[in-house]
Structure formats: structure tokens, C-alpha cells
Amino acid sequence: MAIDFSITSTITPKGRTTYNAQRLNSNEDKFNIGSKTLYDGNFGLFNTSVTTGQVYNPEDYVAKYGFWAYFIYPTAMAESSGSFKCLNTYDRAQFTFSFMQYGAHVPNGDFVKFFRKLLQLPNASEYFPKLVLSNNRIFYKSNETLSPLENDSSSQALMDYLNPTLNDIENQELISAARFVHWATNDPNHRETQVATAIAMYKENMKAYHQRYGLDHAPANVCQMICDIRHQGRAKSDRIALALNTNGDYNKAFLNLCIIGDTNYQTRINTVRSTIKKLTDMGKFSLKYNATTGEFV
């Protein structure tokens, strides 16, 4: 049975419009979907709330993923303070979700891969009854007709399904957001899928970054900062390569990486750096990358 919601809005004392949802035919409480915002001429939602029990903690996943559970943590803190229900629908991605902020605008990108995995969960049809997977592609199903929402060259149809326009906040956008927030809040398998996607992504990224930068035996702090720079997109590859050109002095390389983008992104860099230090002080971040195995040892 499909999960449906009633949507209501309120105006805060500061004049901000916030949207709440309540599951129909249930005794569940209302929950916050997000707040309306205007960004670069676009209207959309954002949800940056951090709720106890809904935050990424590497200790919860280290038994399954080992060191990688710690490796993604600095980026998770920078992206969302670890919030599993982090949402924005106001920029060119049109729909971004998860503690690592997966954006829907990249064909075969992190969001698309994440959503494909979600649609394989047992309760997927309850949240998105009109979406199906076929040959590992996302389709919209109307009667018996399947319409593709993404392919190797575009995910625009999927973006438009989740958030029809950036001109206003539409009902479809609110329903899509409510489904994601509710699903993440109530289903540990949804949260596990967020984590599995992040770790798979960073594992593959590290293999590619080694090919570009030569990271065999590079310490975890250097590798993590590279991954965060590339994940956010705050520098091009040549700038990273220049920072690493230290004749093997990884302490200097790390400091060089920490100043990339500091004019505009100092707060984020501080978060990543302080989280790395916290993990290092705990004895959790002393490993080095082994390019042969693709693991940290």
C-alpha cells in the first residue's frame, strides 16, 4: 500500500515558510520536510536539521566497512553535520539528498546510483509506487507503459519528476521530499543505503585519484582531503597535483591541500580538518593507502 502524506505550511516568527507532512491513515506525528528558500533566483526547499538518532556515526558501521566508515566521516560532517535527512531542491541539481548530499543532476552519478539501490528495498513501492527498475535503470510506470527517467547521457527526466521546476515549490516537489525524509527517518535500510553508496563511491574515487596523483602509501589525511576537494568540486585536478608536488613530504602536501579554496570555503575546510584531527587523536586515522589492494593498511 502506497504511503501518502498531507502537507501543511507555517510561517515562522522570522517570516520563513516551513513545510510539514503527516502520513495519512496513521497515528504518526507531523514531521518537518524543509523550509522555503531563494537561491540565485531559484525557489526550493532545504532541510539541514540534525536529529538525535538520525546522524551518521562511523562506529555504527565500522564492523561492516572497517576503516572506510571513518574515512568518509570528515566529508559527511562538512556536507550535512552527518544528517541522514539533509535535503535541498533549490540549485541546478533540482534534488539533492543524504548525509553526503547526492545530487540528481549527474547521469550515473551518486544520487542516481543511490536511488537505484533504494528502489530495490522491500518497501520501495510503498514510497514510489510509480517508479520501477528495469535493467538497472529508473523508469516511470503508467499502466503498463515504462518511460525512462535516466540514461548514460541525462538524468533530467528524473530531476523533473522529483522537482518539476525551480520557479516555485510545487506539490510534487513537496511529496518527493516528504517521501525521502520519512523513509530515511523510519527505515535503517535507507540509512544503510546512504552509507553503502558513499563508501562504494569513495573506494572507486580513490582508485581513480591514485591513477591521477600517485597515492600509493599516501596517508589517510592526504587522501581524505583530496576526496573532499573533489567531492565538493572546489578545485581542478591540476591544482591538487601541484599541492602534492612536495617530493614525498606528505605533511607539507596536507597543508597545501588545506588552503585550496580557503577564500570561499574556509568553514568547510575547517570542519574537514578538525574532524580528521579528532579521528587521528582517537587513533583511527593512521593508515596509508595501498594502491594494489585499493584498501588502507
Side-chain angles (χ1 to χ4, degrees), residues 4-194:
D4 291 319
F5 302 96
S6 62
I7 308 293
T8 56
S9 63
T10 58
I11 307 296
T12 69
K14 294 184 177 180
R16 184 179 295 280
T17 301
T18 63
Y19 294 90
N20 299 295
Q22 187 171 31
R23 182 176 176 177
L24 296 177
N25 304 312
S26 80
N27 295 320
E28 294 181 11
D29 293 333
K30 287 183 179 181
F31 62 93
N32 178 251
I33 303 171
S35 298
K36 185 175 183 177
T37 190
L38 174 64
Y39 173 80
D40 199 25
N42 301 326
F43 286 100
L45 301 167
F46 75 93
N47 186 336
T48 57
S49 61
V50 177
T51 306
T52 301
Q54 303 295 321
V55 178
Y56 177 70
N57 178 0
E59 297 292 341
D60 295 337
Y61 297 92
V62 70
K64 183 172 184 178
Y65 296 109
F67 175 74
W68 291 98
Y70 296 111
F71 188 70
I72 66 171
Y73 188 50
T75 297
M77 294 304 291
E79 286 288 349
S80 66
S81 297
S83 174
F84 282 122
K85 55 185 179 182
C86 183
L87 164 80
N88 85 64
T89 67
Y90 53 75
D91 62 16
R92 66 189 180 95
Q94 290 183 220
F95 202 92
T96 298
F97 193 81
S98 96
F99 77 122
M100 294 284 275
Q101 294 214 53
Y102 306 138
H105 60 305
V106 181
N108 297 319
D110 47 23
F111 182 90
V112 173
K113 291 177 180 178
F114 166 57
F115 203 9
R116 288 171 185 160
K117 292 177 183 177
L118 285 183
L119 292 174
Q120 297 176 59
L121 294 181
N123 56 354
S125 62
E126 297 176 23
Y127 283 97
F128 289 94
K130 294 184 178 181
L131 300 188
V132 297
L133 277 185
S134 180
N135 295 320
N136 203 36
R137 294 291 188 186
I138 302 171
F139 286 81
Y140 177 84
K141 185 176 182 179
S142 178
N143 297 321
E144 296 304 315
T145 301
L146 296 183
S147 302
L149 295 183
E150 49 90 11
N151 54 44
D152 287 337
S153 59
S154 176
S155 58
Q156 188 64 55
L158 177 61
M159 295 159 62
D160 294 342
Y161 173 81
L162 296 170
N163 178 11
T165 78
L166 295 171
N167 299 325
D168 203 350
I169 295 177
E170 298 90 4
N171 186 66
Q172 177 66 15
E173 178 180 354
L174 288 165
I175 292 296
S176 297
R179 287 168 173 166
F180 269 90
V181 172
H182 186 274
W183 200 355
T185 301
N186 290 280
D187 186 359
N189 290 325
H190 187 290
R191 301 190 290 274
E192 159 67 25
T193 302
Q194 292 190 37

